[in-house]
Amino acid sequence: MSVEKVITRFAPSPTGFVHLGNIRTALFNVLLAHKHGGDFLLRIEDTDAERSKDEFTAALMQDMRWLGLTWEQGPDDDSGKPGAYHQSQRQHLYQTHYDSLQKRGKVYPCFCSAQRLAILRKTQLSAGQPPRYDGMCAHLSQSEVETKLAEGQKPSLRFRVPQGEEITFTDLVRGEQHFSSDDIGDFIIRRGDGTPAFFFTNAIDDALMGVTHVLRGDDHLTNTPRQLMLLRALAMREPEYGHISLIVGNDGAPLSKRHGSFGIREMREQGYLPAAIVNYLSRLGHYYADNSFMSVDQLAKQFDSKNLGRAPAHFDITQLQHWQKEALSAADDDTVWQWLGKAVHQQVPADKKGNFIRAVKPNISMPADGLDWATVFFSDQMIVEDDAKNAIDKAGKEFFEIAASVFAKEADFKTAIKSIGKQTGKKGKQLFWPVRAALTGKVHGPEMSDLALLLGSDKMVARCKRVG
Ligand code: GLU
């Protein structure tokens, strides 16, 4: 028996820059497809001509590639220019299916004005009823339709929802779902201006493209019975759906600008590493027994849609920072160097690059931290922090006179510090803190022997003299 190839998809509308919330949806679809050796498909939902911009598609593709989320099927022209995987280029296919629904008597033109629909909605809501279309145009005669068309009216196209049907499906995340068709009014699948409803185009394209699984935000859960009715009316294949819970901030409200900057571009500019974002997001609303830092491939192997949670996923910045540290420690020197950026490159001499990276890597999370250390080592603008000042004061003048004279003679740091200890009678924290404080202005930081290599004896002597 041949097992069907798993095909998942991400269907963003290019009306803005991609953020943590939608990229997590993309990621889960990548992980699910790759777990089964299947295809992940990227399809651009650019049916809203006014709001869709090629530059947002280009940016999205760049952001996804940066994160390591690549697609087996989708646009390959990175300019963002519309092609085969853009819905704006697939209108003829939607038309075929409108026609097919028409032939089967499953749709009808609706001439109700926006104003009438707004009043209807208001009246229903104030009577405590769920708002839905009242079927005003459901039974217009052919001649009534023709007259209205002749008057130049532009109808929308409504799907005729069957009465008394139960629509059931098994959601990959939420389990059994039941909807009654009687709660769903006849709905619009094409607007008066000819633009298709997004849930129509997505249902059609999922079927045409052989999509087997759709993981998406639970804000789309109520679209699913509509999409299933459409697919069943057209005898097209139904994908399995899984609705993932939204990401919320610590106040329980959906993650938004109010909680911080979660645009992928902004996070990249702040210095987050792609592997940190990927490791964090794959665990945000999905349980992994394995807490180790993983590649996208490893995350895919251990992904299981059964481990997707139903409860809202709480965004936790400390978790993101944890994965940032992990990602940094896993990164090679070249990656770290590029990540540190121009400002650091300008300060660190070429022959100290390797030493600098080794020294600071365990002590930083962001490029700005790296810049702090570059300034400490390679400029004279060292800032002495309060606890460093205390350690220096406590050690006293004589301590630093001794330290300066030892560093002037002894190049090997271990031997030098031993000698300072012997001569001053200090050991442990009493010995290391003041030395560290004088050399860096801080009481914590890189290994002392790495510090010494970076500073060199002239600077160490000068800094001890300065505080002595
Ligand atoms: N563009 C829609 C969204 O990003 C896609 C809906 C769907 O996944 O079916 O929410």
Side-chain angles (χ1 to χ4, degrees):
M1 197 181 77
S2 75
V3 179
E4 190 185 33
K5 183 174 191 171
V6 169
I7 302 182
T8 65
R9 53 79 159 170
F10 178 47
S13 39
T15 54
F17 291 111
V18 73
H19 54 81
L20 273 192
N22 33 37
I23 215 65
R24 187 184 59 143
T25 303
L27 171 64
F28 285 155
N29 281 290
V30 168
L31 298 179
L32 178 62
H34 292 177
K35 179 196 175 71
H36 298 287
D39 283 2
F40 166 66
L41 182 156
L42 174 62
R43 189 179 66 222
I44 308 299
E45 190 193 291
D46 58 346
T47 41
D48 182 339
E50 238 162 70
R51 294 177 58 222
S52 299
K53 301 260 178 305
D54 294 354
E55 73 196 69
F56 289 134
T57 304
L60 164 89
M61 290 166 72
Q62 245 175 35
D63 291 351
M64 286 182 66
R65 289 198 208 278
W66 177 70
L67 287 166
L69 307 182
T70 48
W71 47 96
E72 282 68 41
Q73 298 182 43
D76 40 31
D77 173 1
D78 280 13
S79 68
K81 290 233 171 344
Y85 286 87
H86 284 66
Q87 291 189 319
S88 60
Q89 307 303 301
R90 300 173 59 82
Q91 297 290 345
H92 56 292
L93 295 166
Y94 309 138
Q95 190 54 50
T96 308
H97 291 91
Y98 288 133
D99 293 346
S100 167
L101 286 167
Q102 197 123 34
K103 266 189 220 126
R104 296 168 195 226
K106 306 280 188 190
V107 289
Y108 60 87
C110 170
F111 296 89
C112 292
S113 66
Q115 195 190 11
R116 174 176 189 271
L117 295 174
I119 295 169
L120 176 66
R121 189 184 153 81
K122 229 179 174 174
T123 319
Q124 288 172 331
L125 283 173
S126 59
Q129 294 164 352
R132 60 197 177 102
Y133 186 59
D134 60 356
M136 177 83 165
C137 294
H139 303 288
L140 294 178
S141 68
Q142 187 60 27
S143 70
E144 283 172 310
V145 168
E146 273 161 22
T147 311
K148 286 178 191 288
L149 289 176
E151 284 166 3
Q153 293 195 39
K154 300 255 176 289
S156 58
L157 194 65
R158 278 192 193 269
F159 181 74
R160 206 183 284 279
V161 172
Q163 294 301 297
E165 272 190 16
E166 198 182 24
I167 303 118
T168 60
F169 65 96
T170 308
D171 190 278
L172 289 165
V173 181
R174 289 161 190 273
E176 287 303 307
Q177 300 291 313
H178 301 265
F179 291 87
S180 162
S181 70
D182 293 343
D183 293 336
I184 303 171
D186 294 350
F187 52 85
I188 293 176
I189 56 173
R190 187 179 63 205
R191 294 183 200 88
D193 64 3
T195 57
F198 79 93
F199 59 85
F200 173 80
T201 57
N202 284 333
I204 300 297
D205 282 339
D206 287 342
L208 293 177
M209 294 177 169
V211 170
T212 57
H213 297 77
V214 171
L215 294 178
R216 61 183 178 185
D218 62 7
D219 48 332
H220 291 297
L221 183 62
T222 53
N223 290 324
T224 309
R226 290 173 176 78
Q227 292 181 308
L228 288 173
M229 282 192 280
L230 283 166
L231 293 172
R232 289 172 191 174
L234 286 161
M236 291 174 97
R237 73 160 297 151
E238 299 165 18
E240 285 194 59
Y241 292 95
H243 291 90
I244 53 181
S245 49
L246 290 179
I247 306 179
V248 296
N250 46 14
D251 55 357
L255 203 64
S256 70
K257 279 263 176 252
R258 204 153 49 83
H259 297 100
S261 297
F262 300 116
I264 299 300
R265 313 222 120 186
E266 288 160 301
M267 294 180 73
R268 175 184 186 163
E269 271 153 31
Q270 285 164 36
Y272 282 105
L273 288 159
I277 297 178
V278 162
N279 268 271
Y280 177 51
L281 284 186
S282 54
R283 290 166 168 98
L284 186 56
H286 177 278
Y287 171 73
Y288 277 95
D290 184 347
N291 270 327
S292 55
F293 177 77
M294 289 190 254
S295 66
V296 177
D297 282 349
Q298 291 165 323
L299 287 164
K301 273 197 192 97
Q302 295 185 35
F303 182 81
D304 191 336
S305 57
K306 285 197 201 75
N307 291 341
L308 287 165
R310 294 181 196 197
H314 280 266
F315 178 79
D316 180 352
I317 186 88
T318 57
Q319 282 297 314
L320 176 60
Q321 281 158 356
H322 161 77
W323 292 111
Q324 171 75 357
K325 282 278 210 189
E326 294 279 314
L328 193 56
S329 102
D332 61 27
D333 281 9
D334 280 347
T335 307
V336 176
W337 184 246
Q338 286 316 315
W339 169 82
L340 282 165
K342 243 199 214 136
V344 171
H345 300 173
Q346 280 163 359
Q347 292 215 49
V348 181
D351 62 333
K352 303 266 187 197
K353 190 171 130 180
N355 282 341
F356 177 74
I357 293 172
R358 194 183 62 199
V360 302
K361 202 164 123 172
N363 294 280
I364 61 177
S365 303
M366 289 295 180
D369 309 328
L371 185 57
D372 263 1
W373 284 112
T375 308
V376 166
F377 296 132
F378 305 110
S379 84
D380 287 324
Q381 295 153 25
M382 194 175 78
I383 294 163
V384 182
E385 293 173 359
D386 283 350
D387 37 9
K389 214 175 264 159
N390 288 341
I392 290 166
D393 291 347
K394 230 162 144 195
K397 250 177 158 6
E398 205 192 325
F399 178 94
F400 293 105
E401 278 160 18
I402 295 170
S405 74
V406 171
F407 285 139
K409 279 179 259 146
E410 180 53 66
D412 179 67
F413 182 78
K414 274 206 179 104
T415 317
I417 198 87
K418 233 185 232 160
S419 161
I420 298 169
K422 219 178 197 171
Q423 294 184 46
T424 58
K426 301 273 161 75
K427 54 183 182 209
K429 212 162 119 177
Q430 311 270 345
L431 172 62
F432 286 98
W433 272 34
V435 173
R436 192 182 267 290
L439 297 181
T440 66
K442 304 174 197 288
V443 290
H444 298 291
E447 289 287 327
M448 297 277 273
S449 46
D450 289 333
L451 280 178
L453 277 178
L454 283 168
L455 287 168
S457 69
D458 287 354
K459 250 188 206 160
M460 286 161 68
V461 173
R463 290 186 183 190
C464 287
K465 278 189 175 154
R466 189 159 65 190
V467 297

